[in-house]
Amino acid sequence: MNTTDNTSKAIAESRELPVIALVVPCYNEEAMLPISAPVLLGILDTMAAEKIASPQSFILCVDDGSKDATFAVIEAQHAADKRFKAISLAHNRGQQNAMLAGLMTAMPLCDAAITVDADLQDSPDAIYEMVRKFREGADIVYGIRNSRSSDSWFKRTSARAFYRLQRNMGLETFYDHSEFRLMSRRSLEMLSEYGERNLFLRGLMPHIGLNYATVHYARNARAAGTTKYSFFKLLSVSIDGITSFTAQPMRLIFLVGLILLLADIAVGIWVLVSHFNGSAISGWSSLMVSVWFLGSLVLISLGIIGEYIGKIFTEVKRRPRYAIKDRLLD
Ligand code: UDP
Ligand code: MG
């Protein structure tokens, strides 16, 4: 076989191999990026060498308005290796929006994109398996953790409770799947049709409804830097995860109202009977208890309604979800 044959064979092969984009949301990751960049580039090298993915596969870092030297680290990596591409958001828009910005930027440039956290807590070795399942025909490949032993007791328990609550509210979600996921270009194109501002990708992907596969992996502890999720940020993501998808909480108010109505009838009968027995004592304590109980109930109900009104408020504004400041895509 002569050289021309070899070259054309190589071109034909590389055309068949999918271009994979690793989309990495980064918020204040100056400590972590110098460690994760070589690992991710190593994965690209291996995939190219073993003919799993095209040598044109790349990393797309999304600097989510970091306040530290994250972008300087990204620029240095980009200068050293052009497969390390990046965009930088003008403000901190949160992981969900950062991922969306990265996915939409990568969409025209790749055959499939994989979202990976910058801290590599989601074992990057699972990427090979994800790409294999993609090549076998899956449009979405969900990474599912084997165990949560690296999480604190609180995070583990609250996450489990959250998944259960979501399921009970009728959401299709994958237990122990966070944001480590492969999405084909086709699924990304479908995702781009979703115009909503309150994003919860984990819930949207099953909604898209293309064929999927799962990959199990071990979750490691963070090697450097600290978690970017405070308790309140985590709570806010969890609330979004439910209220963006279902009006069940509002139905619950109605249900609680019905149950209270029944209870009221029972209490009414009891009060009437006590009254005619002559044993009715105007009790201050029972009055106080019911006033407080009803007061809190009203407040909770208003809170839930307020959550939806808040959603309507942000949706009708239709503000752009992110503004890309810089691009290093060459
Ligand atoms: N992240 C982001 N914007 C934010 C918060 C987090 O882009 O406002 C990124 C962060 O840099 C990391 C990923 O989202 O790559 C997951 O965050 P982290 O590891 O802090 O969350 P945890 O693993 O503790 O849940
Ligand atoms: Mg993490």
Side-chain angles (χ1 to χ4, degrees), residues 131-302:
V131 174
R132 195 174 63 75
K133 299 229 160 140
F134 165 66
R135 295 185 73 191
E136 284 170 7
D139 271 290
I140 306 167
V141 186
Y142 298 97
I144 314 266
R145 318 176 173 196
N146 280 334
S147 88
R148 281 190 167 263
S149 49
S150 65
D151 282 353
S152 68
W153 176 86
F154 174 74
K155 193 155 183 185
R156 202 159 56 223
T157 318
S158 57
R160 284 266 155 84
F162 172 58
Y163 289 126
R164 197 160 303 137
L165 187 65
Q166 277 190 326
R167 285 263 178 94
N168 292 344
M169 295 259 178
L171 247 89
E172 267 181 82
T173 45
F174 288 85
Y175 218 70
D176 282 347
H177 161 64
S178 53
E179 299 298 346
F180 189 30
R181 180 175 51 233
L182 176 145
M183 287 150 279
S184 67
R185 190 204 288 210
R186 188 156 69 119
S187 69
L188 290 176
E189 278 162 1
M190 289 165 93
L191 175 67
S192 69
E193 302 289 316
Y194 284 72
E196 63 202 71
R197 262 52 192 160
N198 292 292
L199 257 196
F200 191 66
L201 288 173
R202 239 179 282 183
L204 276 184
M205 295 317 290
H207 202 260
I208 283 175
L210 292 172
N211 48 333
Y212 69 88
T214 55
V215 164
H216 289 262
Y217 67 93
R219 177 140 162 126
N220 316 311
R222 205 179 230 280
T226 51
T227 176
K228 308 297 176 264
Y229 278 94
S230 64
F231 170 74
F232 289 105
K233 210 163 172 177
L234 209 59
L235 189 69
S236 141
V237 171
S238 311
I239 292 174
D240 272 356
I242 290 171
T243 51
S244 299
F245 283 89
T246 161
Q248 283 287 354
M250 286 209 271
R251 236 172 252 164
L252 272 182
I253 300 178
F254 180 69
L255 216 69
V256 171
L258 270 189
I259 293 167
L260 272 184
L261 196 70
L262 290 179
D264 270 356
I265 293 170
V267 169
I269 292 171
W270 173 63
V271 166
L272 271 182
V273 169
S274 324
H275 179 77
F276 287 117
N277 278 348
S279 60
I281 305 156
S282 45
W284 178 82
S285 40
S286 61
L287 203 66
M288 283 309 275
V289 166
S290 53
V291 164
W292 278 90
F293 177 66
L294 287 177
S296 63
L297 203 76
V298 167
L299 282 183
I300 293 169
S301 313
L302 280 180

Side-chain angles (χ1 to χ4, degrees), residues 37-58:
V39 176
L40 294 175
L41 284 168
I43 289 177
L44 294 188
D45 289 337
T46 311
M47 288 202 294
E50 293 184 5
K51 303 217 176 335
I52 301 169
S54 156
Q56 272 112 50
S57 297
F58 61 93

